[in-house]
């Protein structure tokens, strides 16, 4: 849809898709143009078709530990990545850098649940946190989702810690065809020798986000045909 699309026009499309039985999953790509209120749009998608996991009903279910809702794809992908990499979360000290609604807050909510592949002690750090370095250095699992290029340096990471880089930052690069390239929130070259496990960026968390989106969509389709 055009960048000049009005909020009413977008809501009309969502309403049509909500009522279309052939459509099992709906996601609205963010960021949205200025004239469209993100919270209004997310709330307009039927919870049972909200494969992004952003509807207030699904957010509430996540906070309550109710697994019948859809969970946000990036945090769910990170949890799956930790589980399949045999990273122990039970009792682990987890530090999440960033308090966004898409990654930071839902990530903390997932990992602090009394559940398998969770049960961690979680700290959320943000722009007003005092001495972020000290918080990071005690983390067994450090999840960076601040949107600040290469913010996490080697001296912020405990030896052997698991480091998950969620950041997406575009920087100028005259050697790249496009004149720019994407990097994460972690100084990969500096942190890799210190970390026990670390995700590359790009290519680490991104594919997991897509996989969980597909999982949510299959779940929505199965529920629709029951």
């Amino acid at each position: 849809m055009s960048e000049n699309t009005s909020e009413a026009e977008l809501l009309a499309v969502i309403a049509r898709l909500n009522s279309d039985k052939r459509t099992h999953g709906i996601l609205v790509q963010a960021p949205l143009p200025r004239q469209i209120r993100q919270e209004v749009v997310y709330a307009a998608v039927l919870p049972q078709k909200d494969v992004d996991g952003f509807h207030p009903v699904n957010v509430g279910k996540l906070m309550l530990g109710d697994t019948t809702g859809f969970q946000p794809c990036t945090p769910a992908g990170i949890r799956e990545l930790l589980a399949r990499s045999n990273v122990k979360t039970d009792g682990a000290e987890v530090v999440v850098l960033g308090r966004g609604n898409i990654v930071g807050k839902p990530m903390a909510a997932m990992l602090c649940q009394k559940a398998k592949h969770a049960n961690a002690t979680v700290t959320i750090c943000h722009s007003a946190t005092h001495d972020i370095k000290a918080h990071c250095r005690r983390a067994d699992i450090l999840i960076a989702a601040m949107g600040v290029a290469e913010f996490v340096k080697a001296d912020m990471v405990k030896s052997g810690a698991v480091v998950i880089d969620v950041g997406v930052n575009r920087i100028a690069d005259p050697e790249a065809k496009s004149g720019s390239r994407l990097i994460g929130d972690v100084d990969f070259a500096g942190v890799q020798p210190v970390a026990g496990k670390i995700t590359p960026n790009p290519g680490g968390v991104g594919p997991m986000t897509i996989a969980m989106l597909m999982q949510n969509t299959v779940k929505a389709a199965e529920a629709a045909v029951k």
Side-chain angles (χ1 to χ4, degrees), residues 79 82 89 94 106-113 117-120 122 143:
R79 186 184 56 192
L82 291 170
T89 57
V94 176
M107 186 80 261
M110 282 183 193
L111 291 180
C112 74
Q113 298 291 341
H117 306 309
N119 211 29
V122 183
I143 301 171

Side-chain angles (χ1 to χ4, degrees), residues 77-119:
I78 293 169
R79 186 184 56 192
E80 190 74 16
L81 188 63
L82 291 170
R84 293 186 181 232
S85 301
N86 298 315
V87 175
K88 183 185 176 185
T89 57
D90 195 315
E93 287 276 353
V94 176
V95 172
V96 179
L97 299 178
R99 55 182 166 184
N101 291 331
I102 294 176
V103 180
K105 284 192 276 190
M107 186 80 261
M110 282 183 193
L111 291 180
C112 74
Q113 298 291 341
K114 190 174 182 179
K116 190 176 181 182
H117 306 309
N119 211 29

Side-chain angles (χ1 to χ4, degrees), residues 142-166:
L142 179 61
I143 301 171
M146 299 180 79
V148 181
E150 297 187 335
F151 177 85
V152 177
K153 304 296 185 183
D155 64 352
M156 299 171 67
V157 179
K158 180 170 73 172
S159 178
V162 174
V163 180
I164 307 290
D165 189 356
V166 191

Side-chain angles (χ1 to χ4, degrees), residues 6-226:
S6 70
E7 183 176 281
E9 287 172 324
L10 178 54
L11 291 173
V13 171
I14 292 171
R16 175 172 56 79
L17 294 172
N18 278 340
S19 62
D20 183 359
K21 291 183 179 179
R22 298 169 301 172
T23 301
H24 299 127
I26 301 170
L27 68 87
V28 181
Q29 185 67 56
L32 291 165
R34 240 178 237 185
Q35 70 275 15
I36 299 175
R37 292 168 295 172
Q38 190 167 282
E39 66 277 8
V40 171
V41 170
Y42 287 154
V45 177
L46 281 178
Q48 60 267 36
K49 293 190 177 187
D50 169 39
V51 291
D52 257 341
F54 296 157
H55 190 283
V57 167
N58 287 319
V59 173
K61 285 186 174 183
L62 171 62
M63 293 302 296
L64 293 171
D66 182 345
T67 58
T68 64
F70 293 111
Q71 299 189 340
C73 301
T74 298
I78 293 169
R79 186 184 56 192
E80 190 74 16
L81 188 63
L82 291 170
R84 293 186 181 232
S85 301
N86 298 315
V87 175
K88 183 185 176 185
T89 57
D90 195 315
E93 287 276 353
V94 176
V95 172
V96 179
L97 299 178
R99 55 182 166 184
N101 291 331
I102 294 176
V103 180
K105 284 192 276 190
M107 186 80 261
M110 282 183 193
L111 291 180
C112 74
Q113 298 291 341
K114 190 174 182 179
K116 190 176 181 182
H117 306 309
N119 211 29
T121 300
V122 183
T123 301
I124 299 179
C125 295
H126 45 77
S127 56
T129 300
H130 295 295
D131 201 355
I132 285 183
K133 281 187 178 182
H135 287 289
C136 291
R137 280 195 291 261
R138 63 179 172 75
D140 302 307
I141 302 169
L142 179 61
I143 301 171
M146 299 180 79
V148 181
E150 297 187 335
F151 177 85
V152 177
K153 304 296 185 183
D155 64 352
M156 299 171 67
V157 179
K158 180 170 73 172
S159 178
V162 174
V163 180
I164 307 290
D165 189 356
V166 191
V168 180
N169 309 285
R170 188 172 292 278
I171 63 167
D173 184 354
E175 295 183 7
K177 281 186 180 180
S178 63
S180 64
R181 62 187 173 91
L182 293 176
I183 61 171
D185 287 357
V186 177
D187 175 12
F188 185 88
V191 172
Q192 186 180 23
V194 181
K197 296 179 188 288
I198 185 171
T199 59
N201 193 335
V205 172
M208 294 302 301
T209 299
I210 296 167
M212 303 317 288
L213 174 62
M214 294 299 99
Q215 185 179 79
N216 280 350
T217 305
V218 170
K219 181 179 174 180
E222 288 174 343
V225 299
K226 279 183 180 178

